[in-house]
């Protein structure tokens, strides 16, 4: 997911009988499917978990613009340029919705964003891989955004109201992004042998990071049980990963590409595709900041922040001037 390894700060899931009266009443409301709103009472651990998850999700959208933005000027046609530009603009909007949602929990946008710039806060591992060819832009839209949709649609039904409502529009736009990526892959696979080989290479490189981005295997995901009890998370990592694989393999076959995993095959007894072993060492190295583009991504976001200081200062000066004028008129 775009938010990975989100700590809940709890040592175990409590039963209703183990909860004090106020927390028990709150949990029963969640169990009944009633949304939690910003002014409602909520446990500190629930609030902190949401701050971590929503801010990490927002950071992922904002950093996620970078792998594609450097291809806007190199897209093969004017139409492709316009589509990619619109997509990158959408990602900025997604970050804005989510930063706004996290502010409802009593933190400021600047505070959580500074955590990103300092390296204290994380973003999705998937955005630390390079986009080497135009086919990578197709693979990112098809696989990465396709994987994100599988993760994010359930969040539209999560227990925290502002987060759930923000995700409705995000998911609609992500569906467009997924179709945009698949359209690029269709064009390449119906093109020259060299173009189809480029598509195959992109699939081979993006497949494993795309299925790893759902997070660690369930037995290694120590925070999932609590997040699911709170209905911040509605499905386990492995459930979401399996759903993504099941829906994507037929698309690979439609494109006429080779499966990127020799162990990937249909299991009639399970009614699902079996797949090979994910390289979790690579996944955790990237999460810890040791991926191919970690330093480059953070440097780009810090550069944008520093170079935009004059504009933020000008906006604040204008706002102060407007406030002073209103006070003068009121007097």
């Amino acid at each position: 997911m775009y938010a990975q390894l989100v700590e809940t700060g709890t040592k175990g899931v409590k039963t209703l009988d183990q909860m004090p009266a106020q927390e028990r009443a709150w949990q029963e409301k969640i169990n009944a499917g009633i949304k939690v709103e910003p002014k409602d009472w909520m446990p500190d651990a629930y609030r902190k978990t949401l701050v971590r998850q929503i801010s990490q999700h927002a950071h992922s959208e904002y950093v996620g613009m970078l792998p594609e933005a450097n291809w806007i000027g190199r897209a093969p046609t004017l139409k492709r340029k316009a589509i990619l530009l619109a997509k990158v603009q959408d990602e900025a909007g997604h970050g804005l919705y989510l930063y706004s949602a996290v502010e409802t929990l009593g933190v400021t946008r600047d505070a959580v964003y500074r955590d990103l710039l300092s390296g204290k806060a994380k973003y999705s591992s998937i955005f630390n891989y390079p986009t080497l060819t135009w086919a990578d832009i197709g693979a990112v839209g098809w696989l990465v955004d396709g994987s994100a949709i599988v993760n994010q649609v359930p969040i539209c039904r999560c227990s925290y109201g502002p987060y759930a409502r923000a995700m409705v529009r995000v998911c609609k736009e992500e569906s467009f992004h997924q179709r945009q990526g698949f359209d690029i892959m269709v064009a390449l696979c119906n093109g020259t042998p060299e173009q189809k080989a480029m598509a195959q290479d992109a699939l081979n490189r993006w497949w494993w990071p795309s299925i790893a981005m759902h997070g660690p295997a369930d037995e290694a995901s120590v925070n999932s049980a609590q997040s699911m009890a709170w209905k911040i998370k509605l499905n386990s990592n492995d459930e979401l990963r399996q759903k993504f694989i099941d829906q994507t393999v037929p698309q690979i076959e439609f494109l006429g590409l080779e499966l990127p995993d020799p162990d990937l095959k249909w299991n009639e007894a399970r009614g699902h595709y079996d797949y090979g072993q994910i390289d979790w060492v690579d996944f955790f190295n990237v999460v810890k900041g040791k991926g191919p583009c970690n330093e480059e991504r953070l440097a780009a976001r810090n550069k944008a922040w520093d170079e935009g200081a004059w504009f933020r200062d000008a906006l604040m000066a204008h706002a102060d001037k407007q406030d002073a004028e209103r006070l003068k008129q009121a007097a």
Side-chain angles (χ1 to χ4, degrees):
M1 191 165 68
Y2 280 4
Q4 298 165 331
L5 307 177
V6 178
E7 296 182 7
T8 62
T10 61
K11 295 182 179 180
V13 179
K14 293 186 289 187
T15 66
L16 290 174
D17 291 339
Q18 294 172 320
M19 298 176 187
Q22 188 175 32
E23 184 178 356
R24 182 168 61 251
W26 174 84
Q27 183 67 54
E28 287 174 339
K29 183 171 76 170
I30 286 180
N31 293 347
I34 300 171
K35 299 293 185 198
V36 179
E37 298 298 341
K39 293 184 179 180
D40 294 346
W41 180 89
M42 64 188 78
D44 287 343
Y46 176 83
R47 184 186 300 274
K48 290 177 182 178
T49 299
L50 280 171
V51 170
R52 293 186 186 109
Q53 176 161 331
I54 302 173
S55 61
Q56 190 182 133
H57 193 162
H59 301 333
S60 299
E61 297 284 0
Y62 194 42
V63 174
M65 295 188 290
L66 296 172
E68 296 173 300
N70 65 0
W71 276 94
I72 292 172
R74 294 183 285 165
T77 67
L78 181 59
K79 178 181 177 181
R80 293 291 188 191
K81 286 178 171 63
I83 293 171
L84 186 57
L85 182 62
K87 182 188 176 186
V88 172
Q89 185 178 29
D90 282 349
E91 307 296 4
H94 297 173
L96 177 61
Y97 307 151
L98 293 163
Y99 284 127
S100 297
V102 81
E103 285 184 310
T104 67
L105 291 159
V107 296
T108 66
R109 190 175 311 183
D110 280 359
V112 296
Y113 190 62
R114 287 183 186 279
D115 285 343
L116 168 68
L117 298 179
S118 70
K120 178 182 177 182
K122 304 301 181 185
Y123 56 89
S124 178
S125 61
I126 197 70
F127 298 119
N128 289 306
Y129 296 91
T131 44
L132 303 177
T133 70
W134 174 246
D136 286 43
I137 302 303
V140 168
W142 171 38
L143 299 175
V144 175
D145 292 321
S147 185
I149 292 168
V150 168
N151 278 289
Q152 294 176 6
V153 166
I155 299 176
C156 297
R157 306 189 305 277
C158 80
S159 60
Y160 189 58
Y163 192 21
R165 291 189 288 271
M167 291 310 301
V168 172
R169 179 165 179 174
V170 170
C171 288
K172 288 180 179 179
E173 292 177 350
E174 291 289 3
S175 296
F176 154 74
H177 299 167
Q178 194 272 344
R179 291 194 296 273
Q180 171 257 2
F182 191 68
D183 182 65
I184 291 174
M185 300 300 280
V186 169
L188 291 172
C189 290
N190 288 320
T192 65
E194 291 80 8
Q195 288 173 322
K196 188 169 184 179
M198 187 191 304
Q200 182 70 60
D201 174 63
L203 169 61
N204 293 344
R205 285 183 291 106
W206 285 95
W207 175 255
W208 292 105
S210 295
I211 63 173
M213 69 179 275
H214 292 274
D218 289 349
E219 62 268 19
S221 185
V222 297
N223 296 293
S224 286
Q226 183 63 79
S227 288
M228 292 177 73
W230 284 334
K231 294 192 178 180
I232 295 174
K233 186 174 182 177
L234 277 72
N235 302 93
S236 75
N237 296 347
D238 286 338
E239 288 173 346
L240 294 168
R241 189 174 2 260
Q242 187 70 67
K243 182 175 181 180
F244 171 70
I245 291 171
D246 288 350
Q247 73 179 32
T248 307
V249 171
Q251 297 169 2
I252 296 172
E253 293 171 343
F254 174 82
L255 290 171
L257 296 175
E258 295 179 10
L259 296 176
D261 172 7
D263 297 321
L264 194 57
K265 58 182 178 297
W266 180 253
N267 185 319
E268 193 66 41
R270 290 201 312 122
H272 295 288
Y273 283 94
D274 292 334
Y275 54 94
Q277 181 61 42
I278 296 169
D279 186 350
W280 292 117
V281 172
D282 176 71
F283 171 79
F284 283 108
N285 278 337
V286 175
V287 169
K288 292 174 183 177
K290 301 175 183 177
C293 298
N294 287 73
E295 292 183 5
E296 177 184 333
R297 300 291 185 244
L298 270 187
R301 293 289 61 147
N302 273 280
K303 182 174 184 288
W305 176 262
D306 293 341
E307 292 182 351
W310 69 270
F311 185 67
R312 295 192 301 275
D313 291 343
L315 286 176
M316 293 304 297
H318 178 70
D320 291 343
K321 182 178 179 180
Q322 294 293 100
D323 288 344
E325 185 64 29
R326 281 192 290 270
L327 289 172
K328 182 179 178 181
Q329 291 177 359

